[in-house]
Amino acid sequence: MTLKCIAVDDEPLALDIIEDYVSKVPFLELVKRTENAIEALQLVQAGGIDLVFLDIQMPDLTGIQFLKIANNKASYILTTAYSQYALESYDLNVSDYLLKPIAFDRFYKAVEKVHSQHKNNVEPVLTPAPVAPAPAPVVAEIQPVQDFIFVKTEHKIQKIELDNILYIEGLKDYISIFTKAERVITLQNMKRMEETLPKSQFIRVHKSYIIALDKIESIERSRITICGKIIPIGDTYRDEFFKKIENKNI
């Protein structure tokens, strides 16, 4: 399927780059490039636009304001030189966040994720067989590509690669994310973090712990070992955890 796109930015050079990148991707069609955020908003609200490349810092209407007004009428990839808006934008369900200058490989990865999401949301049209209808095909669940998260620490918004996360520990008013190199503390609750992380890679095993499945070193009774850390398996999460690892052939 082809995604109909618009590019919104008050910098003509930035629009030139997006237009060039879109022309290289077979499943993208740029129907409009504009420096006018109001014009772009009207196009989105009219319907028929699948994907919007949206700058944040614009004079009449900021990208964040645009997202709140548009109300999920399309998928959005933010294009900006400012990383400080990342956390707020993910709360508004953007598909990706590209920091300028944008490399083509990073651009392609972002649009491929949106393309996959749209394909999964389209119901297949089934053609009946001459004698009897063919059984509906079994469609496997495909997780959208997600390589990183942004978390707000005391002094900054920090990007964390998912592959580096070992486990997450919940404390009273904040959580600690333990990676291969460091411990990152952020004011966030476990439920929200659990919903943010891809379920194919992470699972909650205790009211205070979320673990990365591929970082498990061993399991003994009700204890998991990851990088020397002993993590308990809570009774509430036991059945789902062992079902998950059986499916993973661990």
Side-chain angles (χ1 to χ4, degrees):
M1 64 175 296
T2 300
L3 299 180
K4 294 186 180 298
C5 314
I6 62 173
V8 193
D9 202 305
D10 61 342
E11 298 178 5
L13 179 58
L15 290 173
D16 289 342
I17 292 171
I18 294 297
E19 184 172 11
D20 178 55
Y21 284 0
V22 167
S23 70
K24 297 176 181 178
V25 181
F27 54 78
L28 297 182
E29 177 188 349
L30 187 66
V31 298
K32 183 73 175 179
R33 53 172 282 175
T34 179
E35 299 173 36
N36 188 325
I38 304 298
E39 178 187 23
L41 182 61
Q42 291 173 340
L43 282 171
V44 170
Q45 291 179 325
I49 302 299
D50 301 307
L51 174 60
V52 181
F53 298 99
L54 181 64
D55 187 27
I56 290 182
Q57 292 282 28
M58 293 183 289
D60 296 325
L61 191 69
T62 70
I64 299 299
Q65 291 168 335
F66 189 110
L67 288 168
K68 291 177 179 178
I69 297 170
N71 196 24
N72 296 325
K73 278 273 190 175
S75 296
Y76 296 88
I77 294 176
L78 294 186
T79 59
T80 178
Y82 303 95
S83 61
Q84 64 264 35
Y85 299 101
L87 194 60
E88 184 178 3
S89 69
Y90 276 103
D91 287 340
L92 294 168
N93 296 319
V94 303
S95 296
D96 214 327
Y97 190 98
L98 301 180
L99 284 174
K100 299 175 182 177
I102 302 167
F104 178 73
D105 61 334
R106 182 67 184 86
F107 173 89
Y108 187 84
K109 192 171 189 177
V111 298
E112 188 176 40
K113 175 169 65 173
V114 177
H115 191 229
S116 295
Q117 291 169 342
H118 277 258
K119 284 196 298 185
N120 293 339
N121 289 333
V122 174
E123 294 185 5
V125 177
L126 302 179
T127 303
V131 178
V138 177
V139 181
E141 181 182 354
I142 300 174
Q143 288 283 348
V145 177
Q146 183 179 342
D147 297 320
F148 60 88
I149 57 174
F150 284 103
V151 297
K152 190 173 184 179
T153 64
E154 186 176 359
H155 303 294
K156 61 184 178 181
I157 293 174
Q158 183 165 340
K159 178 181 177 181
I160 301 178
E161 300 287 342
L162 295 186
D163 189 52
N164 290 333
I165 297 176
L166 301 171
Y167 61 91
I168 297 165
E169 182 178 6
L171 301 170
K172 186 176 180 181
D173 297 317
Y174 59 91
I175 62 174
S176 293
I177 302 172
F178 290 83
T179 72
K180 297 173 181 178
E182 62 182 335
R183 175 190 181 190
V184 178
I185 299 174
T186 179
L187 188 66
Q188 192 174 144
N189 62 54
M190 289 288 282
K191 180 174 176 57
R192 182 175 175 188
M193 178 56 68
E194 182 182 7
E195 292 171 349
T196 300
L197 296 169
K199 290 179 172 51
S200 60
Q201 298 170 249
F202 295 88
I203 188 169
R204 192 167 183 176
V205 296
H206 189 274
K207 66 179 182 179
S208 299
Y209 289 98
I210 297 170
I211 65 165
L213 286 163
D214 65 343
K215 302 303 188 300
I216 294 174
E217 296 173 358
S218 65
I219 304 166
E220 183 180 357
R221 297 180 182 176
S222 295
R223 300 185 302 174
I224 301 164
T225 301
I226 297 179
C227 204
K229 168 74 174 180
I230 305 297
I231 297 172
I233 303 172
D235 292 340
T236 305
Y237 306 92
R238 184 189 310 276
D239 290 346
E240 183 180 352
F241 170 70
F242 281 105
K243 182 179 179 181
K244 187 83 169 182
I245 65 168
E246 285 172 7
N247 291 337
K248 292 283 185 181
N249 295 320
I250 295 179

